Amino acid sequence: MTTADPASTSTDPLPPRASDRWVILAGAVLVQLALGAVYAWSTFSKALQAPESALRLSTVEATIPFETAIGMIFVGTFLGGRIQDRRGPRTVAVVGMVMYAAGIVLSSFAQAPGQLWLLILGYGVLGGIGLGLAYIVPIALLQKWFPDKAGLITGIAVGGFGFGAVITSPVAQTLIEADKTHPAAAFLPLGLAYLVAGVAGATVFRNPPAGWSPAGVVASGRTATTAVEGRDFTVREALGTRQWYLLTVILTVCVTAGISLVSVAAASATAVAGYSAAGAAGLVGVMGLFNGAGRIGWAALSDRIGKMPSFVGILALEGIALILLPRIGTSPVSFAVLAAIIYTCYGGAFGALPSTAGQFFGVKHAGSIYGLMLVAWSIGGVSGPLIASALIGSSKNYVLAYTVIGAIALIGAAIPVLTSPPPRPRDDTSPAATPATTA
C-alpha cells in the first residue's frame, strides 16, 4: 500500500476520478491564456510612445517594463517550483495569479510623465515574478497527471500561453483607442480579467496521490514497456549532471534565436518585406497563432520521434529560416512563411522541453528542476533582443543580424546530438525494488 503525498491529499481527500485530470488540464490552459497576455506588450509599447500619450516614452523606455518582466520570470519559476514540490500546486498558482494581476492593475495608474517606474514595478517586477510562480505549476503538475502523453499535454498547456497575446492584443487595442492619452488605463480591466480567469483555473489544481497512474502506466510516469530502473532525481542530483546544463543551453539558444525576431517583428516586416505599419501589426498578431501551435505541435512530435531529434529540427529550421529571412523575405509572402517557421520553432522549444526534463529526471521534483531550467528564458529573452538590436543598428543591417543569429542556432543544433538521458539514481526506494501501485 502506498502513502499519498500530504501536500496532495490534506485538502483533497477524495481519490481521483478519470475525468479529474482533464478538468485540471482545462484549468491549466485558462491560467496560461491569462499569463500569455504578457506578450501583448508591443501593443502598449507603441501606444505609450505615441505623441498623444501623456507618458510619451522613448523607444528605450518603452522596452524596459517588458524586459524587466522577462528577467523576473526566473525568480518566480525558481520559487514556485520549490514551493510547489513541497506544499502542492494550488496555493502557488493562486498566489502567482494574484501577484501577476496586481502588477498589471498597478500599471494602469501610470498616466503622467515621470511614472514609468509604475510600469517597471507593476508590469515588470510584480507581473514577472507572479507570471513565473503561476507558469511553472501546470508544467510540472500535468506531467504527473498525464505520464502517458506528457509531451502533448504540456504542449497544449503552454500553447495556451502562446495564444494569450493573440486574444489580448485586439482587446487591448480597443481599450487603448478609447483613451489614447492614457493608454496604460487599459491595464485595469485587463488585470481584473486575468485575476478572475487565472484564479478560477488555479483552484482546480491538485497533485495526484503518490503511486497513482492511469491504467497501463507505472507510477514512475513511464509506460510498463519502457520503464527505467531507478528513482526520480532530486534537485541537487539533477544539477550534478551535465544533462541539466545541456538542456538549459538548448533552451537558451532556442529562445535567443526566436525572440530576436519576435522582439522586432513589426519593424523587420516593414524594412525587409515592405509591409505597411498596419500590415506589420496584423502579421505580428497572426504569428502569435504559430507560436501557440508550435508549442502543441512540437511537443506532440517529440513524443513520437524522440526529444533530441525534435530539438535538432527546431534549432536547424530556426537557423535556416533566420538566415534566409532578409535574403528571400523581400516578398511579403516569403517573409510571412519564414517568420511562421521561426515562431513555430520558438514556441516549440517551450512545448517540448518540459516533458524532456521529466523524461530525463523524473516528475517528482519537476517543478524545481524545470523551474531552474527556465533561467534560459530570462537569459535568452534579454540577450536575443539586445544582440538583434545591436547588429541591426542605425544602418538597419538585417542581413548581418539574422545571419549571425541564424548561425548561432545552427551551431546549437549539434548540442542535442550530444545529449542523452542520464542514468537513474538507485537506492532502496527505487521502483525496481518496490512494486508500483496503479489505479
Side-chain angles (χ1 to χ4, degrees):
M1 178 176 177
T2 58
T3 302
D5 180 4
S8 67
T9 60
S10 59
T11 57
D12 295 299
L14 297 177
R17 297 167 297 179
S19 61
D20 285 353
R21 62 179 187 161
W22 298 102
V23 173
I24 290 170
L25 173 61
V29 171
L30 200 57
V31 166
Q32 294 285 13
L33 282 170
L35 296 175
V38 71
Y39 275 145
W41 174 255
S42 60
T43 302
F44 288 97
S45 175
K46 183 178 179 181
L48 290 166
Q49 297 175 63
E52 57 266 37
S53 169
L55 280 174
R56 293 196 188 97
L57 299 183
S58 68
T59 302
V60 173
E61 289 173 332
T63 64
I64 295 175
F66 179 73
E67 290 290 313
T68 303
I70 297 301
M72 290 293 105
I73 286 174
F74 171 64
V75 177
T77 59
F78 170 74
L79 295 174
R82 297 185 71 83
I83 297 171
Q84 175 189 358
D85 287 343
R86 297 175 182 177
R87 300 295 182 181
R90 185 180 303 156
T91 299
V92 178
V94 170
V95 170
M97 288 308 310
V98 170
M99 183 178 293
Y100 173 72
I104 301 300
V105 170
L106 177 60
S107 299
S108 70
F109 296 102
Q111 299 186 10
Q115 292 186 329
L116 171 62
W117 68 273
L118 279 172
L119 293 173
I120 297 173
L121 176 61
Y123 198 95
V125 178
L126 289 177
I129 294 176
L131 191 161
L133 281 169
Y135 178 89
I136 192 60
V137 174
I139 303 304
L141 178 63
L142 289 172
Q143 293 185 71
K144 299 175 183 178
W145 281 103
F146 291 90
D148 49 333
K149 45 178 73 70
L152 172 62
I153 296 299
T154 55
I156 290 173
V158 297
F161 189 91
F163 291 127
V166 177
I167 297 172
T168 302
S169 291
V171 175
Q173 188 60 48
T174 300
L175 293 171
I176 290 170
E177 291 290 336
D179 186 1
K180 293 184 179 180
T181 304
H182 305 106
F187 284 126
L188 179 58
L190 289 174
L192 295 175
Y194 303 155
L195 178 65
V196 172
V199 171
T203 53
V204 304
F205 289 172
R206 63 166 174 153
N207 283 321
W212 176 89
S213 66
V217 182
V218 296
S220 63
R222 293 169 291 279
T223 62
T225 59
T226 60
V228 178
E229 291 187 354
R231 60 172 171 79
D232 289 353
F233 283 77
T234 65
V235 177
R236 183 182 295 274
E237 287 168 342
L239 292 176
T241 67
R242 68 182 180 85
Q243 285 86 349
W244 185 92
Y245 298 93
L246 288 171
L247 291 182
T248 303
V249 172
I250 289 171
L251 182 60
T252 301
V253 177
C254 289
V255 173
T256 300
I259 208 168
S260 66
L261 173 63
V262 172
S263 63
V264 291
S268 297
T270 299
V272 174
Y275 279 78
S276 66
L283 178 69
V284 170
V286 172
M287 288 301 107
L289 296 173
F290 288 94
N291 183 1
R295 294 166 188 254
I296 300 171
W298 279 107
L301 185 63
S302 74
D303 281 343
R304 298 180 66 87
I305 69 171
K307 305 301 181 181
M308 293 304 104
S310 295
F311 280 106
V312 171
I314 287 171
L315 285 163
L317 285 173
E318 209 170 26
I320 292 169
L322 281 164
I323 291 171
L324 292 177
L325 189 73
R327 292 177 168 85
I328 67 171
T330 50
S331 159
V333 174
S334 298
F335 184 94
V337 170
L338 292 169
I341 292 172
I342 296 166
Y343 269 75
T344 301
C345 293
Y346 171 69
F350 287 104
L353 195 65
S355 60
T356 303
Q359 184 185 83
F360 275 43
F361 304 111
V363 300
K364 184 176 181 180
H365 302 288
S368 296
I369 293 172
Y370 183 65
L372 287 169
M373 208 172 283
L374 284 177
V375 67
W377 192 358
S378 293
I379 294 172
V382 172
S383 63
L386 289 177
I387 294 172
S389 60
L391 293 175
I392 293 169
S394 58
S395 62
K396 308 297 181 183
N397 196 338
Y398 289 94
V399 173
L400 173 63
Y402 289 132
T403 299
V404 170
I405 297 168
I408 292 172
L410 287 175
I411 294 170
I415 302 174
V417 178
L418 306 174
T419 307
S420 59
R424 292 280 175 145
R426 297 294 300 272
D427 63 18
D428 293 339
T429 62
S430 168
T434 304
T437 299
T438 60

